[in-house]
């Protein structure tokens, strides 16, 4: 099967939005390309003394609304088009929650699971040295994404600071607490998603205390989603999986047990509870809420018709392709689109930037309260637009976010 190119999906989504907004084709043309991109080659000394060459990217998709913002992904399947797509989604995401930021994304083609700690540190520092002149607190601020951790953010911040000759906490977010990180950043993506689920449940009159959840992906977003749906709503998590497979148990799965199993054995599929379930099967389970929290392109026209969940809360970036969106909308599945549902991560990253600029850390309840306000407002504006214009939730989110980006471009005299 031909691989789905996520940047082509972005183009389709922008075209659709341009049609709804009746955008000037010249404006649409600007929106359809990244403003800037950097390709870097990273020679890294491995533990055995040899030099291995890695390739990386940083894309600043659009910074009309403020400095570019977005994570760095370390992944063996990384491509420039994936980074372009993710940087476009970051642009809409920051606009969606009305942050004074543009969108960017970075990536390195590598398999961090095969690297030693020393190799990973040297790779992280090499990446930072290569993109040094391209980024900065007022230019472009990276953060974690798939397979990049607070420790990696710490090394990168340190490398940038060493080159600047002064501590520069504000160059990157998702740092450990002791060196300029924000309270509440760890679970922010999932918590933000939970606030949107809470609002969706109100709109659909769904009792979350009786609801069942299935979570695809057990990284930072997936694990916290499983933990928080139980903690915040008393919901039951009946299935979890990761890249190696998963487990289903209608009586419920303990999120902490699943985490301990993943840490010990490398995968939640080794849990002793319930029965095995594949990555594909989990999407078609008869649950109230499905949370794709792994990678792109998992919900397609092939499986969309078989989805039984009432709500799909997209904690992953780009899990649903456009053809599937149409099917889900016709079926009445309520989709909370990625750049709304997972905007909690970048929102708390932005709070981290603010705390760094002010040198004044906030308490966790302040972070949570401000996050709740941002997510609740964003969700309800999308729901209202979707109902008013009779368009699906993703199109409604696009309409709001793209309008804001276009307004900034116009005011700056770009278009
Ligand atoms: N990588 C996360 C995302 O896709 C967080 C980005 C950030 O905090 O800048 O939203």
């Amino acid at each position: 099967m031909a691989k789905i190119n996520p940047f082509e999906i972005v183009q389709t989504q922008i075209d659709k939005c341009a049609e709804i907004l009746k955008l000037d084709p010249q404006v649409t043309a600007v929106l359809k390309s990244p403003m800037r991109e950097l390709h870097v080659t990273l020679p890294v000394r491995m533990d055995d003394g040899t030099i291995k060459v890695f390739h990386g990217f940083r894309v600043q998709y659009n910074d009309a609304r403020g400095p570019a913002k977005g994570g760095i992904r370390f992944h063996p399947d990384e491509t420039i088009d994936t980074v372009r797509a993710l940087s476009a989604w970051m642009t809409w995401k920051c606009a969606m929650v009305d942050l004074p930021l543009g969108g960017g994304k970075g990536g390195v083609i590598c398999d961090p699971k095969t690297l030693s700690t020393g190799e990973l540190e040297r790779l992280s520092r090499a990446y930072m040295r290569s993109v040094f002149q391209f980024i900065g607190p007022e230019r472009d601020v990276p953060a974690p994404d798939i397979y990049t951790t607070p420790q990696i953010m710490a090394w990168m911040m340190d490398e940038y600071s060493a080159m600047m000759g002064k501590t520069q906490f504000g160059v990157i977010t998702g740092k450990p607490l002791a060196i300029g990180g924000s309270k509440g950043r760890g679970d922010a993506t999932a918590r933000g998603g939970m606030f949107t689920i809470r609002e969706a449940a109100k709109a659909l009159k769904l009792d979350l205390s009786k609801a069942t959840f299935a979570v695809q992906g057990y990284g930072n977003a997936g694990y916290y989603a499983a933990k928080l749906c139980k903690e915040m709503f008393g919901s039951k998590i009946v299935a979890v999986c990761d890249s190696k497979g998963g487990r289903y148990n209608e009586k419920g799965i303990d999120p902490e047990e699943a985490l301990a199993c993943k840490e010990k054995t490398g995968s939640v599929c080794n849990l002793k509870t319930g029965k095995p379930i594949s990555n594909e099967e989990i999407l078609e389970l008869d649950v109230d809420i499905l949370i794709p929290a792994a990678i792109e392109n998992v919900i397609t026209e092939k499986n969309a018709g078989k989805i039984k969940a009432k709500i799909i809360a997209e904690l992953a970036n780009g899990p649903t392709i456009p053809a599937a969106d149409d099917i889900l909308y016709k079926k009445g599945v309520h989709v909370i689109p990625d750049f709304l549902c997972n905007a909690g991560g970048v929102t708390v990253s932005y709070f981290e930037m603010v705390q760094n600029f002010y040198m004044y850390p906030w308490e966790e309840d302040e972070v949570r309260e401000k996050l709740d306000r941002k997510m609740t407002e964003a969700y309800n504006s999308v729901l209202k637009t979707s109902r008013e214009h009779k368009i699906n939730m993703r199109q409604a989110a696009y309409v709001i976010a793209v309008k804001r980006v276009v307004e900034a471009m116009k005011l700056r005299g770009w278009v």
Side-chain angles (χ1 to χ4, degrees):
M1 194 183 83
K3 262 208 146 168
I4 304 167
N5 180 339
F7 193 51
E8 279 171 21
I9 292 177
V10 166
Q11 308 268 316
T12 310
Q13 290 168 339
I14 298 172
D15 280 335
K16 183 78 210 162
C17 173
E19 203 182 298
I20 300 169
L21 281 175
K22 298 189 179 46
L23 284 184
D24 178 338
Q26 297 171 57
V27 174
T28 311
V30 181
L31 291 173
K32 284 175 82 170
S33 291
M35 304 298 298
R36 252 169 257 113
E37 57 183 53
L38 182 68
H39 294 228
V40 294
T41 298
L42 309 167
V44 175
R45 188 162 308 274
M46 307 304 279
D47 290 347
D48 64 5
T50 58
I51 298 281
K52 193 165 171 191
V53 179
F54 294 89
H55 294 279
F57 319 100
R58 183 76 193 169
V59 177
Q60 293 164 0
Y61 196 83
N62 186 304
D63 55 4
R65 287 176 48 87
K69 184 85 193 81
I72 302 166
R73 182 179 286 193
F74 281 5
H75 201 279
D77 300 331
E78 194 67 302
T79 66
I80 183 61
D81 275 340
T82 316
V83 183
R84 282 179 185 139
L86 290 161
S87 68
W89 289 325
M90 282 310 303
T91 308
W92 323 136
K93 193 182 303 187
C94 292
M96 182 71 253
V97 275
D98 208 5
L99 307 177
L101 296 168
K105 201 83 179 196
V108 176
I109 308 167
C110 68
D111 184 358
K113 289 179 187 164
T114 63
L115 299 175
S116 72
T117 307
E119 288 166 346
L120 199 57
E121 175 173 355
R122 291 192 290 281
L123 176 62
S124 305
R125 289 185 185 275
Y127 179 80
M128 184 45 94
R129 282 196 303 279
S130 303
V131 300
F132 169 71
Q133 282 166 319
F134 201 61
I135 65 159
E138 287 158 334
R139 225 176 248 146
D140 178 2
V141 181
D145 198 77
I146 295 179
Y147 297 144
T148 46
T149 58
Q151 176 61 73
I152 292 177
M153 301 303 110
W155 290 324
M156 290 189 177
M157 181 279 290
D158 182 70
E159 193 67 22
Y160 186 87
S161 298
M163 281 184 288
M164 291 294 283
K166 55 186 175 184
T167 294
Q168 292 277 279
F169 284 162
V171 69
I172 205 160
T173 59
K175 302 180 293 294
L177 261 187
I179 47 171
S182 173
K183 286 188 176 146
R185 176 65 184 88
D187 68 14
T189 306
R191 191 175 293 277
M194 291 300 137
F195 292 140
T196 65
I197 291 172
R198 181 194 64 202
E199 295 305 301
K202 272 188 217 161
L204 304 182
K205 301 195 173 37
L206 183 76
D207 180 359
L208 283 175
S209 70
K210 296 197 182 74
T212 51
F213 278 66
V215 180
Q216 185 199 45
Y218 219 69
N220 176 277
Y223 157 64
Y224 279 117
K227 177 180 153 82
L228 291 176
C229 72
K230 198 173 159 193
E231 221 171 87
M232 290 169 67
F233 313 129
S235 313
K236 190 156 68 180
I237 170 104
V238 293
V240 292
C241 73
D242 55 38
S243 57
K244 298 196 181 77
R247 303 295 286 190
Y248 169 73
N249 187 345
E250 59 181 6
K251 294 200 185 70
I253 289 172
D254 178 8
E256 300 307 328
E257 212 176 290
L259 180 70
C261 174
K262 187 169 173 79
E263 279 169 355
K264 204 164 143 223
T265 68
S267 172
V268 295
C269 71
N270 298 317
L271 268 170
K272 292 282 170 283
T273 171
K275 52 182 195 213
I277 190 161
S278 75
N279 259 310
E280 293 78 36
E281 287 163 344
I282 201 166
L283 300 170
E284 296 168 19
L285 279 177
D286 190 4
V287 290
D288 295 304
I289 294 149
L290 171 67
I291 304 191
I295 48 165
E296 306 88 51
N297 304 337
V298 294
I299 302 177
T300 66
E301 69 275 25
K302 295 204 175 67
N303 59 5
K306 297 184 210 144
I307 285 180
K308 296 174 197 72
K310 297 182 184 73
I311 297 175
I312 300 178
E314 298 182 338
L315 278 187
N317 287 310
T320 308
I321 73 163
D325 264 334
D326 298 337
I327 300 171
L328 294 170
Y329 188 56
K330 279 196 198 106
K331 262 176 72 115
V333 179
H334 186 78
V335 177
I336 310 176
D338 52 0
F339 66 83
L340 165 64
C341 189
N342 70 29
V346 74
T347 301
V348 177
S349 272
Y350 163 67
F351 295 160
E352 184 174 329
M353 287 172 73
V354 174
Q355 293 168 71
N356 291 157
F357 282 130
Y358 274 92
M359 293 273 282
Y360 184 60
W362 305 347
E363 290 310 322
E364 188 147 4
D365 50 0
E366 191 175 348
V367 171
R368 283 187 192 169
E369 202 182 296
K370 286 190 161 75
L371 175 64
D372 191 348
R373 212 172 307 147
K374 277 276 180 212
M375 300 303 297
T376 301
E377 206 178 294
Y379 173 85
N380 285 303
S381 66
V382 173
L383 181 68
K384 188 161 169 266
T385 304
S386 149
R387 287 181 171 168
E388 265 172 27
H389 297 273
K390 298 195 172 36
I391 50 179
N392 71 38
M393 288 286 282
R394 189 176 329 274
Q395 287 160 355
Y398 258 95
V399 162
I400 296 170
V402 167
K403 236 194 228 167
R404 289 181 179 155
V405 175
V406 170
E407 185 192 2
M409 293 203 301
K410 282 196 173 140
L411 287 167
R412 293 181 75 147
W414 294 6
V415 289

